[in-house]
């Protein structure tokens, strides 16, 4: 077969063009591969358009929007209380934490966040930390299953079911809780709930130890995660990452410490951080975060005060049913709150809470009345996915599964 050197070209440009054409033929064409939106490793309806050179990713474009429901627009046509059930459907692995974050945002708009009773604040913190453990348990179990460790998923799912039993006893529902109210929570702790919670906390730490024995020094798991999907400190900041993905890169930033809310400033807990920023560091950070959540829950149970679980302002919180049935003033307040909503002052606020996936923020623009003029949700899963197009190129195709599992996103809040 004749080579480029055997063929005489009068034009040097033609010779160079022929050489480049032969080089492209030797390398082969790049392949475009659709990963998702129906793929078990994408943890939901996420589509990633991958450009591959052999097994190496040369370009990656996440394609989202398959689960879009228009939550932010729906909020503009509902009272503040009516929108609470929609927050359950954001990060549906931690609905209690979503409820609390949204309630705190609306209370900041009304200027009543400092009036919350101490018991209500402690109960909300316990809800957030139970949601954090539940979310991390499923996230780690699915992450381990993605890289071949099925047993870990069974271990973590067992403990998550115990959390759901606690949540069901507290809220009446296992999944879509709708537990918080503007100015408080819907009901107090049921009898015996604190003892059940203490029992769970003693059992779940045993599960943490077992899961770590199965993973932390497992040769296959370490090879699939160490030095894979590295996110530097600078990139983590530039792409706006938050939560364990940010702290896995060595940045000590947690809204519970940086901008304390509820009673987090009265509780002792540490913020775990990584050193390399790879998939393995993000796994270690989430494992330690669950232990710190157990530590917080023990303190809440020990310090839990007595008292009401909602503020006493009848114009903001639904009055007790027995008063509605016997007093005219409470009946009027009930009617106005249900039909028109809480009368919020004009203005705009932003509140961010440290959710399991990162910073869940609510921006509310009010022109007065019982419904928001504009509501914008800062979803941590949406922001965290933005770094995929930067970090996937250069990785092996098989590394994509490990990286997606380590980012731990939920498409429900990503698409909103």
């Amino acid at each position: 077969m004749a080579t480029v050197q055997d063929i005489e070209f009068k034009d040097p440009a033609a010779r160079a063009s022929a050489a480049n054409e032969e080089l492209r033929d030797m390398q082969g064409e790049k392949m475009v591969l659709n990963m998702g939106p129906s793929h078990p490793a994408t943890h939901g309806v996420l589509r990633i358009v991958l450009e591959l050179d052999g097994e190496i990713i040369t370009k990656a474009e996440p394609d989202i929007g398959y689960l879009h429901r228009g939550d932010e627009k729906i909020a503009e046509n509902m009272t503040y209380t009516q929108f609470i059930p929609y927050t359950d459907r954001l990060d549906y692995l931690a609905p209690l934490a979503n409820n609390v974050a949204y309630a705190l945002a609306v209370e900041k708009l009304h200027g009543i966040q400092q009036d919350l009773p101490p018991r209500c604040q402690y109960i909300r913190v316990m809800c957030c930390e139970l949601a954090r453990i539940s979310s991390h348990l499923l996230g780690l179990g699915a992450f381990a299953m993605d890289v071949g460790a099925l047993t870990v998923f069974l271990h973590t799912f067992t403990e998550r079911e115990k959390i759901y039993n606690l949540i069901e006893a507290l809220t009446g529902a296992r999944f879509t809780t709708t537990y918080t109210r503007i100015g408080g929570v819907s009901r107090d702790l049921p009898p015996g709930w604190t003892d059940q919670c203490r029992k769970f906390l003693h059992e779940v730490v045993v599960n943490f130890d077992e899961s770590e024995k199965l993973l932390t020094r497992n040769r296959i798991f370490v090879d699939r995660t160490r030095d894979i999907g590295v996110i530097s400190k600078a990139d983590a900041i530039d792409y706006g990452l938050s939560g364990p993905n940010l702290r896995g890169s060595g940045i000590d930033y947690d809204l519970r410490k940086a901008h304390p809310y509820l009673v987090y400033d009265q509780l002792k807990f540490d913020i775990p951080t990584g050193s390399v920023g790879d998939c393995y560091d993000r796994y270690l950070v989430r494992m330690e975060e669950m232990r710190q959540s157990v530590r917080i829950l023990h303190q809440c149970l020990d310090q839990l005060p007595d008292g009401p679980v909602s503020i006493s302002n009848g114009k903001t919180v639904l009055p007790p049913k027995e008063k509605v049935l016997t007093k005219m003033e409470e009946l009027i307040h009930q009617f106005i709150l249900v039909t028109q909503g809480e009368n919020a002052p004009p203005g705009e606020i932003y509140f961010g809470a440290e959710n399991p996936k990162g910073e869940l923020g609510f921006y509310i623009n009010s022109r007065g009345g019982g419904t928001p003029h504009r509501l914008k949700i800062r979803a941590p899963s949406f922001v965290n996915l933005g770094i995929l197009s930067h970090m996937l190129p250069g990785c092996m195709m098989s590394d994509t599964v490990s990286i997606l599992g380590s980012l731990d996103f939920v498409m429900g809040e990503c698409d909103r």
Side-chain angles (χ1 to χ4, degrees):
M1 185 179 72
T3 64
V4 175
Q5 288 78 10
D6 296 331
I7 304 174
E8 293 186 4
F9 293 94
K10 294 181 181 179
D11 185 359
R15 178 182 292 276
S17 176
N20 291 335
E21 187 67 32
E22 182 169 310
L23 183 61
R24 282 196 295 271
D25 289 340
M26 291 173 59
Q27 291 176 335
E29 295 182 357
K30 293 179 180 177
M31 180 175 67
V32 176
L33 179 69
N34 281 296
M35 184 175 180
S38 297
H39 191 288
T42 57
H43 296 201
V45 282
L46 168 67
R47 172 178 175 238
I48 308 176
V49 183
L50 299 173
E51 184 184 81
L52 301 174
D53 184 358
E55 284 290 312
I56 305 296
I57 298 171
T58 57
K59 186 179 180 182
E61 291 294 336
D63 184 14
I64 64 173
Y66 292 90
L67 201 61
H68 184 57
R69 296 158 292 171
D71 279 359
E72 295 165 339
K73 201 66 181 174
I74 290 172
E76 298 172 14
N77 299 287
M78 288 187 161
T79 66
Y80 291 101
T81 297
Q82 286 174 336
F83 187 67
I84 292 175
Y86 284 81
T87 63
D88 295 333
R89 280 82 175 169
L90 296 174
D91 177 6
Y92 40 74
L93 303 182
L96 280 173
N98 303 336
N99 294 164
V100 171
Y102 172 71
L104 287 169
V106 178
E107 287 155 6
K108 183 177 180 180
L109 175 66
H110 284 74
I112 59 174
Q113 69 273 27
Q114 69 279 356
D115 300 331
L116 292 173
R119 185 175 179 85
C120 167
Q121 296 189 47
Y122 274 94
I123 291 175
R124 285 187 176 185
V125 167
M126 288 192 289
C127 289
C128 289
E129 298 310 314
L130 282 173
R132 193 179 317 279
I133 296 173
S134 174
S135 177
H136 284 352
L137 282 172
L138 182 63
L140 287 171
F143 180 25
M145 187 169 61
D146 287 342
V147 296
L150 176 61
T151 306
V152 177
F153 180 79
L154 301 178
H155 276 266
T156 58
F157 215 82
T158 299
E159 298 305 310
R160 186 166 172 264
E161 282 299 302
K162 296 177 183 178
I163 295 178
Y164 274 5
N165 290 335
L166 288 171
I167 292 173
E168 183 179 23
L170 176 63
T171 70
R174 297 172 67 82
F175 205 62
T176 49
T177 54
T178 316
Y179 179 58
T180 61
R181 295 292 182 269
I182 310 305
V185 293
S186 61
R187 60 180 64 84
D188 202 348
L189 302 179
W193 190 88
T194 55
D195 294 332
Q196 296 173 25
C197 188
R198 287 184 193 276
K199 181 176 181 291
F200 162 74
L201 295 178
H202 287 107
E203 293 174 354
V204 75
V205 292
V206 177
N207 183 278
F208 296 159
D209 295 337
E210 292 174 346
S211 298
E212 284 193 309
K213 286 179 182 178
L214 290 169
L215 290 179
T216 305
R217 298 181 65 184
N218 183 303
R219 179 62 182 270
I220 298 174
F221 182 77
V222 172
D223 287 348
R224 292 292 304 273
T225 57
R226 183 166 285 173
D227 297 325
I228 302 297
V230 176
I231 303 175
S232 66
K233 288 185 178 181
D235 286 342
I237 294 172
D238 289 346
Y239 282 86
L241 300 188
S242 58
N245 295 323
L246 176 68
R247 294 188 285 274
S249 296
I251 299 174
D252 183 6
Y253 182 78
D254 189 306
L255 287 169
R256 295 171 296 173
K257 290 277 191 182
H259 304 285
Y261 52 94
L262 297 174
V263 292
Y264 278 113
D265 56 347
Q266 303 174 31
L267 303 171
K268 296 180 180 179
F269 60 99
D270 300 320
I271 306 300
T273 57
S275 56
V276 179
D278 55 8
C279 296
Y280 190 69
D281 269 358
R282 292 190 280 276
Y283 151 73
L284 292 175
V285 165
R286 289 189 175 92
M287 285 299 304
E288 182 57 29
E289 277 196 6
M290 289 193 291
R291 295 185 184 278
Q292 294 302 319
S293 292
V294 170
R295 183 181 173 190
I296 291 172
L297 285 164
H298 275 301
Q299 294 177 68
C300 289
L301 291 170
D302 293 339
Q303 303 173 19
L304 184 64
D306 294 326
V309 293
S310 297
I311 63 174
S312 58
N313 184 354
K315 294 183 178 180
T316 305
V317 180
L318 289 174
K321 184 62 67 176
E322 61 272 14
K323 292 186 177 179
V324 173
L325 298 174
T326 56
K327 296 184 178 180
M328 178 57 70
E329 188 177 30
E330 277 73 9
L331 177 62
I332 294 171
H333 288 164
Q334 165 97 1
F335 180 80
I336 293 175
L337 285 175
V338 171
T339 57
Q340 301 177 16
E342 306 86 356
N343 187 23
E348 58 181 7
I349 63 96
Y350 173 82
F351 178 82
E354 189 65 41
N355 257 37
K357 303 290 186 289
E359 179 180 349
L360 174 64
F362 289 91
Y363 165 79
I364 302 175
N365 185 308
S366 169
R367 293 186 176 177
T371 60
H373 174 63
R374 290 287 184 270
L375 186 141
K376 177 71 174 69
I377 303 171
R378 190 232 185 246
S381 292
F382 175 77
V383 179
N384 292 344
L385 281 178
I387 201 172
L388 280 180
S389 58
H390 174 75
M391 66 187 300
L392 284 180
C395 296
M396 299 287 287
M397 174 61 199
S398 58
D399 294 336
T400 308
V401 175
S402 300
I403 292 170
L404 292 177
S406 72
L407 290 178
D408 189 24
F409 54 88
V410 166
M411 296 308 296
E413 72 172 4
C414 178
D415 291 341
R416 303 186 297 288

